Amino acid sequence: MNNARATEPSKLWNADFVLLSVSALLFYLSFYLLLSVLPGYVKEIGGGAQSVGFVMGAFALSSLACRPIIGHLVDRTSKRRLVILGTIIFTGAPLLYWYAHSMPALIAVRILHGAGIALFTTASTTMVADLTPSAQRGEAMGIFGTTANIALGVGPWLGTALVSGSGFFGLFIAAAIIAAGSVVTATPVRDTARLLHAPQPIRGLSSLFSTEVLVPSIGILAVMLTYAPLITFLPLYAGYKTASLFFLIYAITVTLARSIAGRLSDTHGRRAVILPGIIIMAGSMAIIALVHGTVGVIICAVTYALGMALAQPALYAMAVDLVTHSRRGVAMGTFTAGFELGIGAGAIAGGGLVTSVGYAPMFLIAGGICAASAILFVKRQPAG
């Protein structure tokens, strides 16, 4: 056995953390390049609102199915290799979309693509916990999370421009090239695996799931039940240009707020920032449902971003706080499974609700479920 774990880093900004963050930025940019225009691609090949929900939800449900096993592997093998494998899948999957001209084929590609994000995000977030000081864990998670937020701000605009100028083929080629950049930048990152040896057999559910992180996992599930309907149906509800404006404002706001919010969770406790974050996000869903037009979209973008900046990094940090180092991979697998379950269920259920009751009631229902999850954090939980 080769013990690969070094002593805890003394500073947040180190070369490995920076390289991993750059890799994440490119990884998420490839993802968000497709996300806002993919519903239009589904409609172009003959799908309706329910089909959009299934196609978008298949990605998350595939990721959900993979995460427990990936979390088990993260604790027992090379995290860096899992990160790189995820980026390689993200490089190949966009090219397959061009050949997917039916719903079953498109869903199959989405399942493969979902496995890629499960590999990358489970392993990379665990590496962030290893690569940064524990006293700055909330801040580190906040900074690392801004890579996805920046990509969300740029990706939809760029994706829309590429479809307008080069069609969907140009879009898929660009997504593959950007993901290849993620492979290159992840390769030099120092591996943080505790033990570099062959993975041990899976023995019971405790090898795959962490009951210690149940509370933050339910919390992130509820948060993603609002996120999935927004990113999936906002382009159809408000139009692609207005939705791109939402994503840009959201990305700028959450990028500015996340590191500050992460530090607040380090100094004042996780619960103290998670609870108001959840309440703010629930309120923003009511805004998008009841305040029509561009004004409603802008207000929702700002408030939703503030809520997400408060809640998400603190939930990630809480999940790491609650387990020992040797269980971080399983904890992240369980926690991010809640993340993906929220996205998958939110997209699929959102499609059904849009068909049956319309967009505005769907947003209100998602916000109500999120608000109900605040009960979990009314009483103080362990580690914050």
Side-chain angles (χ1 to χ4, degrees):
M1 291 187 296
N2 176 24
N3 194 333
R5 188 190 175 204
T7 57
E8 182 176 286
S10 59
K11 60 182 180 178
L12 173 58
W13 291 103
N14 57 71
D16 292 308
F17 178 64
V18 171
L19 281 170
L20 188 60
S21 296
V22 172
S23 178
L25 176 62
L26 295 171
F27 182 89
Y28 287 119
L29 181 58
S30 172
F31 173 67
Y32 284 119
L33 200 69
L34 303 175
L35 192 66
S36 66
V37 292
L38 204 55
Y41 186 67
V42 174
K43 288 204 163 188
E44 185 173 288
I45 63 175
Q50 187 66 75
S51 296
V52 170
F54 276 114
V55 168
M56 304 304 279
F59 180 94
L61 295 179
S62 166
S63 180
L64 169 65
C66 295
R67 285 185 188 275
I69 295 174
I70 293 169
H72 175 83
L73 292 174
V74 164
D75 286 331
R76 289 159 176 80
T77 189
S78 167
K79 298 179 180 70
R80 175 176 158 275
R81 290 175 188 171
L82 297 176
V83 165
I84 292 172
L85 179 57
T87 61
I88 290 172
I89 291 174
F90 254 54
T91 302
L95 302 177
L96 298 177
Y97 282 110
W98 181 246
Y99 299 98
H101 298 298
S102 67
M103 289 305 115
L106 194 54
I107 288 173
V109 177
R110 292 293 283 172
I111 289 172
L112 173 65
H113 214 172
I117 203 168
L119 283 159
F120 182 88
T121 56
T122 306
S124 65
T125 51
T126 310
M127 289 182 77
V128 169
D130 294 343
L131 291 168
T132 56
S134 58
Q136 294 177 278
R137 184 171 293 150
E139 183 179 0
M141 293 295 182
I143 293 169
F144 189 69
T146 61
T147 59
N149 303 135
I150 293 169
L152 177 59
V154 176
W157 286 98
L158 184 56
T160 301
L162 283 167
V163 170
S164 299
S166 306
F168 283 103
F169 180 72
L171 172 77
F172 298 142
I173 291 294
I177 291 171
I178 292 169
S182 182
V183 178
V184 172
T185 50
T187 301
V189 177
R190 174 176 56 90
D191 207 329
T192 64
R194 176 182 278 269
L195 297 173
L196 295 179
H197 57 71
Q200 299 300 307
I202 295 172
R203 296 186 177 92
L205 290 178
S206 63
S207 297
L208 298 178
F209 296 97
S210 169
T211 57
E212 303 98 314
V213 300
L214 184 60
V215 167
S217 299
I218 294 174
I220 199 67
L221 186 156
V223 166
M224 291 301 109
L225 283 174
T226 64
Y227 182 76
L230 274 175
I231 63 172
T232 303
F233 296 105
L234 189 61
L236 303 178
Y237 174 63
Y240 289 105
K241 288 186 178 180
T242 304
S244 294
L245 177 64
F246 171 93
F247 294 137
L248 178 62
I249 294 171
Y250 169 86
I252 292 171
T253 306
V254 79
T255 299
L256 293 173
R258 274 188 77 126
S259 63
I260 298 171
R263 286 198 296 271
L264 287 174
S265 80
D266 287 331
T267 56
H268 297 287
R270 313 301 183 203
R271 181 191 67 91
V273 295
I274 292 171
L275 181 59
I278 286 175
I279 293 171
I280 291 170
M281 276 187 286
S284 69
M285 296 300 285
I287 291 170
I288 197 67
L290 302 175
V291 182
H292 301 292
T294 305
V295 172
V297 169
I298 291 172
I299 296 172
C300 177
V302 173
T303 55
Y304 191 79
L306 291 173
M308 184 68 80
L310 288 166
Q312 191 181 36
L315 285 165
Y316 269 97
M318 176 184 277
V320 176
D321 292 342
L322 294 173
V323 294
T324 61
H325 187 282
S326 64
R327 293 274 291 171
R328 282 179 179 174
V330 171
M332 282 295 101
T334 302
F335 178 79
T336 53
F339 182 101
E340 297 294 358
L341 180 59
I343 291 180
I348 293 172
L353 286 170
V354 166
T355 302
S356 59
V357 299
Y359 288 103
M362 181 269 293
F363 290 133
L364 287 172
I365 291 169
I369 295 172
C370 183
S373 73
I375 296 171
L376 290 168
F377 304 96
V378 170
K379 293 184 178 180
R380 180 168 294 278
Q381 301 297 330

